[in-house]
């Protein structure tokens, strides 16, 4: 790409982002005490509003804004108002890098929240880390943990390895004996299927075939035939919605192995997949996704606000609960770090407000009051109990759902028991 082209792209993104900024800042401009009126902390919402993650990105962005409104309505964190600057990753590492640079260098945000897709998060990490800006994500690749050398990256989604463990547990529960895997060739796709293979072989099982495929192809017949030739009883996918749609359509049209079952991550096996292929093609597909902390008061609070703001149930977007928790947890860490609101100082307090020995709290105002009273707190999130480990990762529970008559029906909850 020439310097002129890059400059043009940067100006275009900057112009689009300005409109997004005006909208986002207005959305969180709630009344706060006069003492906090001139104190603002800038948060970057970097979400997949378009591209493969577009089904979720708008809700993820809205959840960050809702949490910021909650913080501002409680007088701010350490008397400081939260302002949200929003950008679209386009679910593309290249676009995400440009957007992240703008957020850090132009908008001077002090934390970035909400990257989705491991390729995007891994591409953005060097930019945020170099600037000393913490990054909160919903991505699964193991490399996100190992490459985070400064403890500045926080994951609110299950790792791909833990997804793989859940796939293995579900395959065993269903009695499958001859699994195969198909993986989109990126960190997330490979991480899911490699995590499954590791967990499955630890059980004494083996794979009959495994295929890695390249993205954005018009057809995957060759890769599919390689899988079908091994006569598996189930195919475990590390995939996204567009490629999953093509693969399943071509499998169904082939007429081969009509009894074959599929285990697919929930971000690919969703209502959009059923809409694209119809109930006959998708019947019996097993969808696996992390699930929110549905019995917690924090989830009830989030769900009510989300439904009011979007007209959709909170359960329709599991990632929105994650981004909501990012903002609430960060606000509580700001309060705990007060009066030092340097990003690294706040970052160092994140585990302190998620302390399993502390008093359970389920919202910002409640947590702020407990901190002001000198108490140790444990924020129980809407997305999970959090329980951030040494890598800044969480372990939510998982849903085993089956597509039946065009509906995604949850059959059971699978817990890995790793907290």
């Amino acid at each position: 790409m020439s310097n002129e082209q890059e400059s043009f792209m940067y100006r275009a993104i900057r112009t689009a982002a300005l409109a997004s900024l005006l909208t986002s800042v207005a959305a969180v401009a709630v009344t706060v005490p006069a003492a906090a009126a001139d104190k603002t902390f800038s948060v970057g919402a970097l979400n997949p509003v378009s591209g493969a993650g577009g089904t979720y990105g708008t809700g993820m962005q809205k959840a960050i804004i809702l949490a910021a409104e909650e913080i501002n309505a409680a007088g701010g964190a350490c008397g400081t108002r939260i302002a949200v600057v929003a950008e679209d990753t386009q679910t593309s590492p290249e676009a995400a890098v440009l957007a992240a640079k703008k957020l850090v260098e132009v908008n001077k945000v002090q934390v970035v929240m909400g990257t989705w897709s491991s390729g995007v998060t891994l591409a953005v990490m060097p930019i945020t880390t170099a600037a000393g800006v913490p990054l909160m994500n919903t991505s699964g690749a193991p490399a996100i943990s190992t490459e985070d050398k400064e403890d500045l990256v926080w994951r609110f989604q299950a790792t791909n390895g833990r997804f793989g463990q859940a796939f293995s547990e579900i395959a065993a529960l269903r009695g499958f004996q001859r699994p195969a895997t198909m993986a989109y060739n990126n960190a997330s796709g490979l991480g899911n299927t490699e995590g499954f293979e590791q967990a499955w072989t630890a059980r004494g099982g083996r794979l009959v075939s495994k295929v890695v495929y390249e993205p954005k192809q018009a057809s995957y017949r060759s890769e599919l035939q390689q899988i079908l030739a091994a006569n598996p009883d189930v195919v475990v996918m590390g995939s996204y919605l567009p490629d999953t749609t093509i693969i399943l359509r071509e499998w169904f049209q082939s007429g081969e192995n009509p009894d074959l079952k599929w285990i697919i991550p929930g971000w690919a096996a969703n209502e959009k997949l059923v809409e694209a292929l119809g109930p006959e093609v998708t019947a019996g597909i097993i969808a696996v996704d992390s699930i929110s902390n549905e019995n917690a008061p924090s989830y009830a609070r989030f769900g009510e606000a989300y439904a009011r703001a979007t007209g959709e149930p909170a359960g329709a977007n599991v990632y929105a609960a994650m981004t909501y928790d990012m903002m609430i947890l960060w606000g509580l860490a700001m309060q705990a770090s007060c009066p030092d609101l340097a990003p690294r100082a706040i970052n160092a307090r994140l585990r302190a407000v998620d302390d399993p020995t502390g008093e359970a709290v389920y919202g910002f105002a409640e947590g702020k009051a407990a901190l002001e009273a000198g108490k140790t707190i444990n924020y129980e999130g809407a997305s999970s109990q959090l329980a951030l480990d040494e890598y800044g990762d969480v372990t939510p529970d998982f849903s085993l759902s089956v597509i039946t008559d065009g509906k995604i029906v949850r059959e059971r909850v699978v817990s890995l028991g790793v907290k």
Side-chain angles (χ1 to χ4, degrees), residues 330 333 337 340-350:
W330 185 262
S337 183
D340 186 354
L341 295 187
R344 284 184 182 271
I346 300 166
N347 186 81
R349 301 296 294 169
L350 285 168

Side-chain angles (χ1 to χ4, degrees), residues 359-379:
E359 178 180 305
V361 299
Y362 301 95
F364 177 77
E366 180 186 0
K368 178 181 178 180
L371 288 169
E372 289 177 335
K375 297 179 180 179
T376 299
I377 66 169
N378 178 23
Y379 173 60

Side-chain angles (χ1 to χ4, degrees), residues 180-183 209-214 217 219-232 234-235 237 243-257 260-262:
T181 62
M182 294 188 73
S209 183
K210 55 182 177 180
V211 167
V212 176
Y213 59 87
E214 298 303 319
Q217 296 182 165
S219 173
Y220 296 96
R221 286 190 178 88
S222 175
E223 294 88 344
L224 181 60
Q225 283 302 315
Q226 184 177 336
I227 289 291
L228 294 176
N231 192 31
V234 66
V235 179
M237 300 290 286
D243 42 292
T244 302
T245 304
I246 296 170
I247 290 167
L248 289 176
R249 179 182 291 118
E250 291 180 338
W251 160 70
F252 187 80
Q253 290 174 345
S254 76
E256 295 185 46
N257 198 346
L260 181 63
K261 299 301 181 185
W262 300 81

Side-chain angles (χ1 to χ4, degrees), residues 32-222:
V32 294
D38 61 347
K39 296 170 65 177
T40 301
F41 191 98
S42 294
V43 170
L46 187 56
N47 311 121
V49 176
S50 59
T55 302
Y56 308 107
T58 301
M60 294 167 71
Q61 184 184 101
K62 186 61 180 176
I64 293 172
I65 294 171
L66 288 172
E69 289 177 333
E70 183 178 326
I71 293 168
N72 291 346
C78 190
T80 300
R81 174 182 171 274
I82 304 296
V84 178
V85 186
E87 286 289 340
D88 179 12
T89 68
Q90 302 174 41
T91 326
S92 160
E94 295 78 13
V97 164
L98 290 173
K101 286 182 176 179
K102 177 193 170 293
L103 287 172
V104 171
E105 298 170 7
V106 179
N107 300 114
K108 306 297 183 184
V109 301
Q110 295 160 283
V111 61
V112 173
M113 300 181 180
T115 51
W116 186 94
S117 140
S118 296
V120 165
T121 296
L122 288 165
V124 167
M125 278 174 60
I127 297 163
T128 54
T129 299
V133 172
L135 174 65
M136 296 177 162
N137 70 88
T138 65
S139 308
I144 292 168
S145 297
T146 58
E147 293 301 314
D148 177 24
K149 307 299 185 184
E150 299 189 36
D151 201 30
L152 286 172
V153 181
W154 305 86
R155 188 198 317 254
F156 287 68
Q157 168 66 298
T159 64
N160 288 143
R162 288 168 182 162
F163 258 99
Q165 287 177 262
F167 292 158
S168 175
E169 182 73 19
I170 288 166
L173 286 169
R174 288 304 180 102
F176 296 121
Q177 300 291 325
R178 296 177 53 80
T181 62
M182 294 188 73
Y184 188 104
N185 191 13
N186 71 358
S188 180
L190 292 169
N192 275 310
T193 56
E194 288 170 357
F196 168 75
E197 182 177 8
Q198 182 178 3
W200 188 253
T201 55
R203 291 176 175 271
R206 68 177 186 88
L207 303 186
V208 297
S209 183
K210 55 182 177 180
V211 167
V212 176
Y213 59 87
E214 298 303 319
K216 299 181 180 179
Q217 296 182 165
S219 173
Y220 296 96
R221 286 190 178 88
S222 175

